[in-house]
């Protein structure tokens, strides 16, 4: 009897210990598994920034999917900059995105040029948030979209400021320089686009608006240092922009194209996609991937998606 009791106790201890160990191992395996899944979403070739280590100091760039239009929100240390706000119909989407990111005040609002797919949603944005500075090039338009934008600015007792090419500004821990426009009488409204180069420590980002080859050539002729790690491709991947010469000078590792799925302009074009492929530039695009986020600690750049295709529209 004594031996039987001993046997039961020892067996029970072994069973309990095995169950406990099993549970522990399974839990541990699950943790490892989750980490692996997370890494698969990121670009394996790049130095990864540990999500738990993302700090307020990091520069966060959100390319918001507004279809065939442009909208970029930039955040650092509680400061915010908005470049364009999509079409008229995107106003609420953009306002909600900004609210979700905790925006109450925009330190800079940049309307790159007068076209609806850039300033369409800006009146909604201006009505919903406080703005420090609102940039717009020296140009006007007779469209209702433009009138709505100007009305919203006036209602806030604000004035549009047309920054000069070469002018430099501070944004949180970063700086940015105005590279265009470099003239004041363009045939095509796209060339009025305000082009900015944003720099945080050792990394730079260039935002092209819809600037075309004419503006790109002027930027190069002015002798600006256009070298950037990431480019927001000009004019939704149209063949009018992203000339070979300009792309070579920028020499980016990453390109983001804000473009609508099955858009009527057939953007992006073959010539641009071929060029990006030729220079081995990793492409990210809103038509295939929706919203795209880039995070930079001044040294590393991480995107929240793996690179998209070099597909083009015919
Ligand atoms: Zn556009």
């Amino acid at each position: 009897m004594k031996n039987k009791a001993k046997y039961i106790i020892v067996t029970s201890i072994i069973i309990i210990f095995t169950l406990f160990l099993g549970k522990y191992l399974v839990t541990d395996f699950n943790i490892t598994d989750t980490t692996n899944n997370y890494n698969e979403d990121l670009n394996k070739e790049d130095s990864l920034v540990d999500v738990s280590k993302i700090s307020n100091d990091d520069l966060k760039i959100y390319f918001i999917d507004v279809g065939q239009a442009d909208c970029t929100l930039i955040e650092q240390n509680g400061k915010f900059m908005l470049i364009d706000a999509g079409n008229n119909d995107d106003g609420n989407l953009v306002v909600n995105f900004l609210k979700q990111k905790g925006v109450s005040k925009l330190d800079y609002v940049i309307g790159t040029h007068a076209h609806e797919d850039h300033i369409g949603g800006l009146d909604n944005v201006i009505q919903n948030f406080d703005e420090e500075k609102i940039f717009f090039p020296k140009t006007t338009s007779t469209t209702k979209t433009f009138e709505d934008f100007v009305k919203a600015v006036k209602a806030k007792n604000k004035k549009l400021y047309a920054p000069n090419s070469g002018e430099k500004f501070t944004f949180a821990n970063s700086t940015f320089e105005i590279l265009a426009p470099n003239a004041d009488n363009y045939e095509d409204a796209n060339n009025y686009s305000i082009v900015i180069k944003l720099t945080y420590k050792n990394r730079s980002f260039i935002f092209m608006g819809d600037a075309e080859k004419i503006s790109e050539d002027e930027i190069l002729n002015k002798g600006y240092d256009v070298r950037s790690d990431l480019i927001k491709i000009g004019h939704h991947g149209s063949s009018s922009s992203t000339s070979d010469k300009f792309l070579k000078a920028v020499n980016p590792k990453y390109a983001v194209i804000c473009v609508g799925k099955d858009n009527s302009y057939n953007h992006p074009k073959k010539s641009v996609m071929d060029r990006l492929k030729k220079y081995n530039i990793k492409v990210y695009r809103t038509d295939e991937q929706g919203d795209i986020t880039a995070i930079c600690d001044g040294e590393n750049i991480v995107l929240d998606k793996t690179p998209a295709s070099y597909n083009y529209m015919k």
Side-chain angles (χ1 to χ4, degrees), residues 82-85 108-120 122 126 133-143 145-147 149-150 153 159-165 167 169 176 178 180-181 183 189-190 192-196:
L82 183 74
I83 307 175
D84 292 329
Y108 296 94
V109 174
I110 301 176
T112 58
H113 64 293
H115 283 155
E116 192 219 329
D117 58 320
H118 295 257
I119 60 163
L122 272 184
I126 290 164
K133 291 189 176 77
I134 307 172
F135 290 0
F136 191 74
K138 263 183 211 143
T139 177
T140 56
S141 168
T142 53
T143 62
T145 298
F146 182 73
E147 276 174 26
F149 165 54
V150 172
V153 173
K159 277 190 176 149
L160 294 178
Y161 177 72
N164 298 307
S165 180
E167 210 170 338
F169 300 89
F176 67 95
I178 307 294
N190 288 333
Y192 284 97
S193 286
I194 294 175
V195 173
I196 78 162

Side-chain angles (χ1 to χ4, degrees), residues 22 40 73 122 132 148 183 203 206 216 224 230 268 275 314:
E40 272 169 21
L73 177 70
L122 272 184
E132 189 70 35
D148 289 346
R203 298 289 164 235
I206 190 165
E216 292 174 357
Y224 286 124
L230 184 151
R275 230 163 263 154
K314 279 174 190 155

Side-chain angles (χ1 to χ4, degrees), residues 79-147:
K79 305 272 184 193
F80 292 95
M81 164 161 32
L82 183 74
I83 307 175
D84 292 329
N87 282 300
N88 282 311
D89 291 346
D90 299 316
N92 286 337
L93 182 152
V94 175
V95 166
N96 288 336
F97 191 101
L98 268 56
K99 281 182 179 166
Q100 194 218 319
K101 293 294 173 199
V103 176
S104 60
K105 184 181 131 184
L106 292 159
D107 299 86
Y108 296 94
V109 174
I110 301 176
T112 58
H113 64 293
H115 283 155
E116 192 219 329
D117 58 320
H118 295 257
I119 60 163
L122 272 184
D123 50 347
N124 286 42
V125 169
I126 290 164
Q127 284 154 7
N128 277 277
F129 305 95
D130 288 331
E131 301 80 27
E132 189 70 35
K133 291 189 176 77
I134 307 172
F135 290 0
F136 191 74
K138 263 183 211 143
T139 177
T140 56
S141 168
T142 53
T143 62
K144 184 168 182 307
T145 298
F146 182 73
E147 276 174 26

Side-chain angles (χ1 to χ4, degrees), residues 174-185:
S174 304
T175 56
F176 67 95
E177 185 175 16
I178 307 294
L179 306 186
N182 288 290
D184 52 16
N185 55 337

Side-chain angles (χ1 to χ4, degrees), residues 228-257:
S228 303
D229 302 282
L230 184 151
I231 182 171
K232 196 297 289 178
I233 290 289
H235 200 193
H236 322 283
S238 158
S239 56
S240 60
S241 307
T242 323
S243 66
D244 194 87
K245 197 175 157 194
F246 190 77
L247 189 60
K248 224 172 162 179
V250 174
N251 192 23
K253 188 174 178 188
Y254 308 103
V256 176
I257 309 176

Side-chain angles (χ1 to χ4, degrees), residues 171-296:
F171 169 70
N173 302 343
S174 304
T175 56
F176 67 95
E177 185 175 16
I178 307 294
L179 306 186
N182 288 290
D184 52 16
N185 55 337
Y186 295 104
E187 228 171 80
D188 194 319
N190 288 333
N191 286 315
Y192 284 97
S193 286
I194 294 175
V195 173
I196 78 162
K197 179 179 165 179
L198 177 70
T199 301
Y200 176 44
K201 292 183 182 170
N202 293 325
R203 298 289 164 235
S204 291
F205 306 80
I206 190 165
F207 301 90
M208 299 301 299
D210 277 357
E212 301 187 346
K213 191 177 177 297
I214 291 171
S215 177
E216 292 174 357
D217 286 346
E218 285 171 351
I219 292 169
L220 294 179
N221 290 340
K222 276 238 170 171
Y224 286 124
D225 176 8
V226 293
R227 286 174 301 168
S228 303
D229 302 282
L230 184 151
I231 182 171
K232 196 297 289 178
I233 290 289
H235 200 193
H236 322 283
S238 158
S239 56
S240 60
S241 307
T242 323
S243 66
D244 194 87
K245 197 175 157 194
F246 190 77
L247 189 60
K248 224 172 162 179
V250 174
N251 192 23
K253 188 174 178 188
Y254 308 103
V256 176
I257 309 176
C258 298
V259 63
K261 211 172 190 167
D262 303 322
N263 66 83
S264 58
Y265 303 93
N266 291 334
H267 294 154
K269 293 290 188 188
K270 183 178 190 298
S271 58
V272 173
M273 300 316 291
D274 284 353
R275 230 163 263 154
L276 291 167
K277 197 176 178 180
K278 179 174 85 176
Y279 293 120
N280 213 8
I281 298 162
K282 288 171 186 166
V283 169
Y284 300 81
R285 44 198 286 181
T286 55
D287 62 342
E288 290 185 2
Q289 305 175 296
D291 300 332
I292 293 155
T293 304
I295 297 169
C296 176

